[in-house]
Amino acid sequence: MYTKHTMAAKMKTPADVYREGCRVVFLCAMWYTSSLFQNVINKHLFHEFPYPTTVSMAHMLSVAVFLGPVLTIWKVSPPEIIEKRKFYYLIIPLAFGKFFASISAEFSILKVSVSFAHTVKATMPIFTVLLSRFILGEKQTSFVYLSLLPIICGVMVATLTELSFDLAGLISALVATITFALQNVYSKKALCDIGIHHLRLLLILGQLSSAMLLPIWMVIDLRRILGDYELHARISWLWVVSLLFLTGFLNFLQNIFAFSVLNLITPLSYSIANATKRIIIILLSLAMLRNPVTMVNIAGMMTAIFGVFCYNLAKYHANMQKKRPFLPNVTSEMFDIHAQDKRNGSMYQV
């Protein structure tokens, strides 16, 4: 039985396929570039400005400020009024998780290398499987469970051989990963129960998380920044504000690029593109930031990423057989929204 999407794909001319392929390659390149430079800029910024909550505040505000005009341009319909019970039961916890995961992720970048932080975050499928089992009651196939083994082994090797190891950085990276995985599962439930457009949900979460984070930022970071007279004498505030704006804008851009790629390719292709992005970030961050690393350490990182690819492949085949919604695919820790596939009713994370 052919779907409308399949019939449309068969009607494409070679020129159409070539143009779409070039568009996907361009968007992936922009996606990888924005994500890489965001991580590199954050690392450079932390050398002179060690305030991860401030960086998270910039990321939250970027979504709250920039996404609204984009939705207007894309003519995304405004949401209906959300029931008070669902608002407090679903939206508020998601908004809290969004800024908490962001702070944890930025703190890990402050304490450990970008490559190691991304390797630790490759453990997200493990927590996604566990949380989906306990929260949604989803059982996985044997191949899905087996695909988790190279992730566990790879992260263990990378951790034991990490030259810039920091326990606080490891813990914060794991906390961020668990929180992102919990958001993936919980957002899936929220989108089904509320029936809101995923980009509208992202905008609401960005606005709420910014409001929630503001008083915390004022207590944790703003008070310290105002009293850090050595910092005032050492840095240029124009430089700091410019980097904060740039990292926030890059965070917003990579979200948009990831969403655009997802709407052009299949879920399996997207999972491959996302795993490729993580490999590129790890390797290029090592080259650009010149972090000390061993070949065994690199082998552990690549083993973990290979496990992520195997997990996505196993989930794809399992859901094709069962014909039910996908478990959230593993993606950028800075973009935790979902796209509703109108072709078959499946939901994927961007």
Side-chain angles (χ1 to χ4, degrees):
M1 179 178 180
Y2 291 102
T3 64
K4 187 183 297 183
H5 173 71
T6 306
M7 294 175 63
K10 287 182 174 294
M11 295 173 60
K12 289 181 180 178
T13 65
D16 293 333
V17 174
Y18 175 77
R19 282 194 295 268
E20 186 170 299
C22 291
R23 186 182 178 191
V24 170
V25 170
F26 172 77
L27 289 173
C28 282
M30 294 296 99
W31 179 24
Y32 298 170
T33 302
S34 58
S35 182
L36 171 65
F37 279 101
Q38 177 201 313
N39 283 273
V40 172
I41 288 173
N42 288 354
K43 195 64 178 179
H44 279 298
L45 181 60
F46 287 145
H47 285 314
E48 300 293 334
F49 188 77
Y51 295 99
T53 306
T54 303
V55 175
S56 294
M57 191 71 203
H59 290 168
M60 299 300 103
L61 287 174
S62 70
V63 175
V65 173
F66 297 133
L67 186 56
V70 171
L71 296 184
T72 302
I73 295 173
W74 286 356
K75 298 180 179 180
V76 177
S77 58
E80 297 180 357
I81 298 177
I82 302 174
E83 295 179 15
K84 182 178 294 187
R85 186 184 66 85
K86 292 181 179 179
F87 180 81
Y88 288 108
Y89 175 66
L90 295 173
I91 301 298
I92 294 296
L94 280 173
F96 174 81
K98 183 175 178 61
F99 83 77
F100 182 74
S102 177
I103 293 176
S104 302
E106 296 308 323
F107 186 79
S108 69
I109 296 295
L110 171 66
K111 290 295 184 179
V112 298
S113 65
V114 173
S115 56
F116 181 64
H118 275 267
T119 303
V120 173
K121 290 167 189 174
T123 59
M124 187 181 291
I126 300 172
F127 300 113
T128 303
V129 167
L130 293 176
L131 291 170
S132 296
R133 179 70 180 91
F134 291 116
I135 296 177
L136 302 179
E138 293 185 356
K139 295 182 179 180
Q140 315 303 328
T141 64
S142 299
F143 290 108
V144 171
Y145 290 120
L146 288 174
S147 70
L148 301 179
L149 292 179
I151 300 178
I152 297 173
C153 295
V155 172
M156 288 180 61
V157 171
T159 300
L160 294 174
T161 58
E162 175 63 28
L163 299 179
S164 61
F165 177 80
D166 182 272
L167 182 59
L170 172 63
I171 294 174
S172 60
L174 286 173
V175 169
T177 304
I178 295 171
T179 308
F180 279 125
L182 184 60
Q183 274 194 302
N184 291 345
V185 177
Y186 209 60
S187 295
K188 180 177 180 180
K189 177 176 175 58
L191 286 171
C192 292
D193 291 351
I194 299 175
I196 189 175
H197 191 282
H198 57 279
L199 285 181
R200 284 293 178 185
L201 176 61
L202 176 64
L203 178 59
I204 293 173
L205 294 181
Q207 294 169 340
L208 287 176
S209 59
S210 298
M212 290 180 179
L213 183 56
L214 181 60
I216 299 175
W217 169 74
M218 294 176 68
V219 172
I220 295 178
D221 270 11
L222 182 60
R223 180 175 54 84
R224 293 168 54 209
I225 292 172
L226 294 176
D228 193 344
Y229 299 110
E230 181 183 347
L231 177 72
H232 299 170
R234 186 179 72 247
I235 67 171
S236 166
W237 282 107
L238 178 61
W239 176 80
V240 170
V241 173
S242 298
L243 288 186
L244 287 173
F245 174 81
L246 187 57
T247 184
F249 187 67
L250 287 173
N251 176 68
F252 169 75
L253 284 182
Q254 72 160 320
N255 294 346
I256 298 300
F257 288 135
F259 170 71
S260 301
V261 170
L262 181 59
N263 279 272
L264 288 175
I265 60 180
T266 65
L268 177 59
S269 298
Y270 179 80
S271 67
I272 296 173
N274 186 68
T276 304
K277 184 202 74 169
R278 197 171 292 279
I279 294 174
I280 290 175
I281 290 178
I282 289 175
L283 296 179
L284 291 184
S285 67
L286 288 173
M288 297 174 69
L289 298 174
R290 300 185 181 279
N291 302 122
V293 68
T294 64
M295 291 304 298
V296 177
N297 187 245
I298 294 178
M301 295 177 182
M302 295 301 104
T303 302
I305 300 303
F306 174 74
V308 173
F309 169 75
C310 292
Y311 163 80
N312 285 321
L313 187 64
K315 280 304 303 176
Y316 175 80
H317 286 299
N319 284 287
M320 285 296 291
Q321 293 175 358
K322 297 179 181 180
K323 295 182 179 180
R324 67 178 185 179
F326 284 82
L327 199 84
N329 284 329
V330 177
T331 165
S332 172
E333 64 283 352
M334 299 301 173
F335 190 41
D336 50 8
I337 67 172
H338 296 67
Q340 179 74 29
D341 189 346
K342 297 180 180 179
R343 298 187 296 270
N344 57 16
S346 298
M347 190 182 301
Y348 316 105
Q349 183 191 358
V350 178

